Amino acid sequence: MSIVDSKTSVTQNILDALGKSGNKTAFIPDAALVSAIRFIEEKGFPNAKVEDYKYCNIEAVLRRDFKSLEYDFNSIKSVHAYKLNNTFTIVVVNGTYSPELSDKAEGFVLSPFDQTNSTQTHISSLAVPDADALVAVNTAFSNNGFYLQIKGVVKKPIHVINIGSVKKNAFVNPRQMIVLENNAEATLIESFVSYNNSANIFTNHVSEVTLGENAKLNSYRLQYEDLHSFQVNTTQVKVSRYANYATNTFTFGGSLVRNNLNVVLASDLCEAHLNGLFVAKGNQLIDNHTLVDHQMPNCQSNELYKGIAKDKSTGIFNGKIYVRKDAQKTNAYQSSKNILLSDDATINTKPQLEIYADDVKCSHGTSTGKVDEQALFYLKARGIGEMSARKLLLQAFAQEVIDKIEIEELQHRVLNLFEQHLK
């Protein structure tokens, strides 16, 4: 009996389905493939018994009988509705990069994994397959994603549109690798959307991001898929000396969305800024897990996540700041603020500090409550109806994160989605 046979039928079913899907993973180094398969066989998918997945039972979701992928690029007639003006557009359909639907690269290198030697050199260097089951599955069964290399300053934002569109339950493994060389600068927007979805799709997305010395990356992630969609999104980031990484995650759609964001401040004098906003309603589950790993001295990180939950939805924030012994003069701050709009909604927060250096400034805070009744009374006393007053207060709560968007059109899109999702 193999090790796999002794594990849950969920893991076995997914492995069987993906094994028949015909994904081409020749661009994954053999050593990474071996490590990935071994990890899956030994660990299986995480369930509620695993502390980090206590409120987000992935194994239970995968009992929905996700099959191998069957799709046709031609079914995507247009991506116009998802585009933003004055951006470079990269389109990924069910995990596979589509050159036909994407713009031609200008000022940077863009290539499918199977058409560049850089894949073999860099892939799995940050998202290692022997530490996380979802990363391992992605490594073993990755779709043909893309390698993006930026050497100078890219003035137009790069917009990656990830489309989920299936007619049978499917499990897809999108992957991307982004490298900013020394002194490079770019703005990255990632949209996750659904297009004529008629079945469930589980998206297991992995992104590896490297910032060279003095590089700067502003990134935005906008998730508004339909309720057929389930997603685990793992992002591994390495930040070098004098580099600056900023990311803003906005989650409105999806039946289950789990974001694993892990940032390593690997050299001195670099920065990371992590912000997020989510609105959960119905039976949605939205889970943000962050880890900022301070490895060297004189670095700073700032983190602000806000959540709103209504109906019977669940929100989760689990953020950890890890300060190693050599990371003296670290300055790290983390905040999680949440509002519950119904008695049946739940938000679980777990901010964590783990510090091994003695000359640091680190703090964290969290709060969860209902709409401020005194502020509501104040607005109503001035002739504003209750619904309008609540809307104003919720928008004011979210605005601190929305204001961090530096692209006006994107800010309007996020604000519209925020208002629509509150209805």
Side-chain angles (χ1 to χ4, degrees), residues 180-184 210-217 238-246 264-273 298-300:
L180 274 73
E181 302 289 357
N182 295 347
N183 304 310
T210 301
L211 275 70
E213 288 192 7
N214 201 39
K216 182 178 180 181
L217 179 65
K238 180 181 178 183
V239 187
S240 302
R241 183 180 172 88
Y242 292 124
N244 188 314
Y245 172 70
V264 177
L265 300 178
S267 187
D268 58 337
L269 298 165
C270 58
E271 299 179 22
H273 305 273
N298 297 303
C299 297
Q300 64 170 304

Side-chain angles (χ1 to χ4, degrees), residues 214-406:
N214 201 39
K216 182 178 180 181
L217 179 65
N218 284 332
S219 73
Y220 305 96
R221 177 167 293 164
L222 180 53
Q223 298 164 314
Y224 58 111
E225 298 167 294
D226 65 21
L227 294 179
H228 288 297
S229 303
F230 304 81
Q231 181 182 155
V232 176
N233 200 313
T234 302
T235 303
Q236 298 283 158
V237 184
K238 180 181 178 183
V239 187
S240 302
R241 183 180 172 88
Y242 292 124
N244 188 314
Y245 172 70
T247 185
N248 305 275
T249 302
F250 300 92
T251 309
F252 304 114
S255 185
L256 178 149
V257 178
R258 160 87 175 213
N259 294 310
N260 298 317
L261 175 57
N262 305 315
V263 180
V264 177
L265 300 178
S267 187
D268 58 337
L269 298 165
C270 58
E271 299 179 22
H273 305 273
L274 285 60
N275 305 295
L277 171 69
F278 71 84
V279 179
K281 67 179 184 179
N283 291 308
Q284 280 185 287
L285 187 152
I286 299 175
D287 182 1
N288 283 295
H289 259 60
T290 66
L291 168 63
V292 181
D293 184 356
H294 286 260
Q295 295 188 346
M296 298 300 287
N298 297 303
C299 297
Q300 64 170 304
S301 65
N302 294 288
E303 199 167 351
L304 173 62
Y305 274 77
K306 291 191 172 186
I308 299 172
K310 58 187 294 189
D311 304 327
K312 296 182 179 180
S313 64
T314 302
I316 303 161
F317 173 77
N318 188 322
K320 187 173 187 177
I321 298 171
Y322 192 94
V323 182
R324 296 179 187 259
K325 186 177 179 180
D326 291 337
Q328 302 293 343
K329 305 292 183 183
T330 285
N331 190 347
Y333 176 74
Q334 181 189 84
S335 175
S336 167
K337 298 178 181 178
N338 305 285
I339 291 179
L340 292 169
L341 296 182
S342 76
D343 292 338
D344 293 326
T346 304
I347 292 183
N348 302 290
T349 65
K350 188 180 178 183
Q352 303 173 72
L353 289 174
E354 190 167 339
I355 301 172
Y356 296 95
D358 52 18
D359 185 9
V360 302
K361 292 181 180 177
C362 297
S363 64
H364 62 189
T366 182
S367 66
T368 299
K370 296 186 175 181
V371 171
D372 188 333
E373 291 297 331
Q374 283 191 337
L376 190 62
F377 177 80
Y378 177 86
L379 291 175
K380 288 166 66 178
R382 277 146 184 80
I384 300 175
E386 176 153 346
M387 287 186 63
S388 298
R390 286 184 181 275
K391 181 180 175 182
L392 278 174
L393 291 174
L394 292 172
Q395 185 172 329
F397 171 77
Q399 200 67 44
E400 185 178 7
V401 182
I402 295 175
D403 281 345
K404 296 184 183 299
I405 303 174
E406 297 178 354

Side-chain angles (χ1 to χ4, degrees), residues 29-275:
D30 290 343
L33 276 176
V34 170
S35 293
I37 295 295
R38 181 184 298 133
F39 191 88
I40 301 165
E41 290 179 344
E42 292 177 352
K43 303 293 183 181
F45 287 98
N47 54 37
K49 295 179 181 178
V50 178
E51 179 62 24
D52 279 348
Y53 287 84
K54 183 177 180 180
Y55 303 108
C56 183
N57 190 345
I58 297 299
E59 187 185 79
V61 173
L62 293 175
R63 293 186 188 280
R64 293 172 182 254
D65 194 25
F66 290 94
K67 301 286 188 184
S68 59
L69 182 61
E70 295 177 13
Y71 72 98
D72 180 1
F73 272 125
N74 295 325
S75 66
I76 308 298
K77 302 298 182 186
S78 172
V79 296
H80 180 74
Y82 311 117
K83 282 191 171 184
L84 291 164
N85 292 321
N86 200 31
T87 60
F88 293 106
T89 300
I90 299 172
V91 178
V92 176
V93 180
N94 296 336
T96 298
Y97 165 58
S98 170
E100 296 79 10
L101 294 171
S102 304
D103 293 338
K104 294 189 182 300
E106 296 179 31
F108 52 87
V109 174
L110 175 64
S111 176
F113 279 149
D114 61 359
Q115 295 179 22
T116 173
N117 294 329
S118 298
T119 306
Q120 284 274 336
T121 305
H122 297 293
I123 203 164
S124 294
S125 59
L126 301 182
V128 294
D130 57 356
D132 182 283
L134 278 304
V135 173
V137 170
N138 184 289
T139 303
F141 301 102
S142 177
N143 296 91
N144 192 16
F146 64 86
Y147 170 75
L148 174 63
Q149 182 187 33
I150 297 168
K151 294 183 178 179
V153 177
V154 179
K155 294 182 179 179
K156 281 186 179 180
I158 299 168
H159 186 194
V160 183
I161 304 174
N162 290 278
I163 299 174
S165 178
V166 296
K167 294 180 180 177
K168 296 180 180 178
N169 288 1
F171 189 113
V172 301
N173 292 279
R175 193 164 183 131
Q176 63 190 33
M177 187 165 47
I178 298 169
V179 177
L180 274 73
E181 302 289 357
N182 295 347
N183 304 310
E185 292 184 21
T187 297
L188 177 71
I189 305 166
E190 296 173 86
S191 295
F192 290 83
V193 303
S194 302
Y195 181 94
N196 291 338
N197 235 0
S198 56
N200 293 320
I201 179 169
F202 191 105
T203 302
N204 178 30
H205 188 277
V206 171
S207 180
E208 295 176 276
V209 181
T210 301
L211 275 70
E213 288 192 7
N214 201 39
K216 182 178 180 181
L217 179 65
N218 284 332
S219 73
Y220 305 96
R221 177 167 293 164
L222 180 53
Q223 298 164 314
Y224 58 111
E225 298 167 294
D226 65 21
L227 294 179
H228 288 297
S229 303
F230 304 81
Q231 181 182 155
V232 176
N233 200 313
T234 302
T235 303
Q236 298 283 158
V237 184
K238 180 181 178 183
V239 187
S240 302
R241 183 180 172 88
Y242 292 124
N244 188 314
Y245 172 70
T247 185
N248 305 275
T249 302
F250 300 92
T251 309
F252 304 114
S255 185
L256 178 149
V257 178
R258 160 87 175 213
N259 294 310
N260 298 317
L261 175 57
N262 305 315
V263 180
V264 177
L265 300 178
S267 187
D268 58 337
L269 298 165
C270 58
E271 299 179 22
H273 305 273
L274 285 60
N275 305 295

